[in-house]
Amino acid sequence: MNVRRLIPTTAVAGAVVLGLTALSACSTSDAADGGNGDKLKVTASFYPMQFLAERIGGEHVAVTSLTKPGVEPHDLELTPRQIGSISESDYVLYLKGIQPAVDDAIKQSGVKNTVDAATLTTLENHGSEVSGHDHGHEGEEEHQDEHGHEEHAEGDGHNHGEEGGADPHIWLDPVKYAEVAKGVGKSLEKADPDHAADYKKNTEALVGELDKLNTAYETGLKNTATKTFITTHSAFGYLAERYGLTQQGIAGIDPEAEPSPARIQEIHTIAEKEKATTVFFETLASDRTAKTLAKDTGLKTGVLDPLEGITKKSQGADYIEVMESNLTALQKALGAK
């Protein structure tokens, strides 16, 4: 990427005389496009970041996602080739706190245009006694502060949130996701000023779609028989907060964690008291926990997709469509009037 630096501006005039103009032009364009046609080479950490990069970047970007469809992003381990590809990127978009392996690789990559989506909106702590974002990666992140991991006793040790265990699932709130989209648009304008007008236009179009989605959720969930939903993956804290709902996670933010018998009893009591009807599971994790709990408590099961990846099983082709399916599922479970 530093090829252009090899030809000082003072040398360019001399290069014309020497017939080397073609060489300098070639070097400059190769440096600018990262060897990928004339597109900006973008690396996205997982689907919610990939969607933003593709929709805002449009025809000017070539986007590679580090998380393949169907892979649970929290558990991602990177290959040496993937780590190398990050370093070769012109622009990296990720969400710190979701994928420790990605956070480490990006920190070491030295890519100038690196954007952490968590810095483009406000993160909150939706912690409870079962909010541990735990996947057994003890000690992989040094940025945890005095809040420590001991508080999250229900999990198996590690909290993948930001300082103090902040919830990283910002993309499930269309308003926060729109804030992130605006920040991504501005950063792409800076990274590739030649196409700034297109990035601006694409950002405005996407933010408009997200505004419509937010309105659909607001109106669709205004009048419901209950405000409580139960989920195996506590990813919906921001969504619940935005639309006045209560999320009851069975086993914290780890979708595969087994709930304790005490937690199952607690959920049963909550379901009866709050008239909850449905236990939601997600497309990328096993439905075993949800089915067991539903059987024990007489509840139904349903799918609420945390949109960490799109697969053939997804209830829609992209973020907007799956979020619309999630709204339908919530309206049914909550008894929307």
Side-chain angles (χ1 to χ4, degrees):
M1 283 302 295
N2 291 324
V3 184
R4 69 176 83 185
R5 304 277 178 266
L6 301 178
I7 304 171
T9 47
T10 51
V12 175
V16 178
V17 180
L18 295 167
L20 296 175
T21 320
L23 173 63
S24 65
C26 171
S27 302
T28 305
S29 67
D30 282 353
D33 64 34
N36 201 327
D38 55 358
K39 293 177 188 284
L40 196 74
K41 192 174 173 189
V42 175
T43 296
S45 57
F46 72 133
Y47 178 71
M49 301 299 105
Q50 177 192 343
F51 178 75
L52 290 179
E54 288 174 348
R55 289 294 299 271
I56 296 169
E59 64 187 8
H60 305 303
V61 298
V63 182
T64 304
S65 178
L66 295 172
T67 309
K68 300 293 170 249
V71 173
E72 221 293 325
H74 300 287
D75 301 329
L76 181 72
E77 299 295 337
L78 296 176
T79 64
R81 177 176 286 185
Q82 284 178 307
I83 292 168
S85 78
I86 296 172
S87 304
E88 290 161 18
S89 306
D90 300 320
Y91 179 98
V92 177
L93 179 60
Y94 76 118
L95 179 57
K96 193 175 180 182
I98 281 273
Q99 301 169 288
V102 172
D103 294 351
D104 291 344
I106 287 170
K107 196 159 62 176
Q108 289 159 27
S109 72
V111 176
K112 183 180 131 197
N113 293 306
T114 297
V115 177
D116 171 14
T119 63
L120 303 175
T121 185
T122 313
L123 268 67
E124 293 161 24
N125 191 338
H126 295 125
S128 68
E129 70 278 15
V130 288
S131 65
H133 203 151
D134 32 68
H135 297 269
H137 299 285
E138 289 86 343
E140 284 185 18
E141 288 176 285
E142 287 87 41
H143 66 265
Q144 292 294 342
D145 63 8
E146 71 277 2
H147 293 273
H149 302 141
E150 291 74 28
E151 295 171 13
H152 305 282
E154 288 285 332
D156 51 24
H158 195 68
N159 183 309
H160 288 352
E162 290 285 31
E163 281 82 3
D167 180 358
H169 295 86
I170 45 178
W171 67 92
L172 290 163
D173 172 354
V175 177
K176 284 197 175 292
Y177 200 45
E179 285 174 9
V180 174
K182 287 174 191 170
V184 170
K186 286 197 179 97
S187 66
L188 278 171
E189 286 174 44
K190 277 187 193 161
D192 182 18
D194 290 352
H195 301 114
D198 284 350
Y199 296 141
K200 197 177 184 68
K201 189 177 74 182
N202 294 345
T203 301
E204 283 168 4
L206 178 57
V207 168
E209 280 186 66
L210 294 170
D211 287 347
K212 269 190 203 161
L213 186 65
N214 173 46
T215 303
Y217 266 79
E218 271 182 349
T219 53
L221 298 171
K222 197 172 277 179
N223 297 310
T224 55
T226 177
K227 295 290 180 192
T228 300
F229 64 97
I230 298 162
T231 175
T232 54
H233 186 178
S234 299
F236 301 91
Y238 290 107
L239 185 150
E241 192 173 333
R242 177 71 56 196
Y243 305 111
L245 307 176
T246 301
Q247 165 186 255
Q248 285 291 345
I250 296 170
I253 302 183
D254 179 356
E256 300 283 6
E258 289 289 337
S260 65
R263 183 60 179 160
I264 290 176
Q265 183 53 50
E266 201 177 346
I267 292 285
H268 191 176
T269 307
I270 289 165
E272 281 187 342
K273 186 180 165 206
E274 302 296 336
K275 300 184 173 55
T277 64
T278 308
V279 180
F280 286 115
F281 61 95
E282 60 166 297
T283 39
L284 292 184
S286 164
D287 63 355
R288 188 180 67 238
T289 302
K291 282 187 169 160
T292 304
L293 186 72
K295 193 176 161 195
D296 290 349
T297 56
L299 298 168
K300 295 176 204 154
T301 57
V303 172
L304 202 57
D305 194 329
L307 264 157
E308 293 178 342
I310 295 280
T311 68
K312 287 175 187 168
K313 289 183 184 175
S314 299
Q315 307 287 307
D318 65 9
Y319 171 88
I320 301 287
E321 287 186 9
V322 175
M323 282 294 282
E324 287 168 348
S325 297
N326 279 348
L327 174 56
T328 304
L330 279 167
Q331 285 176 300
K332 189 179 171 190
L334 299 171
K337 297 179 178 78

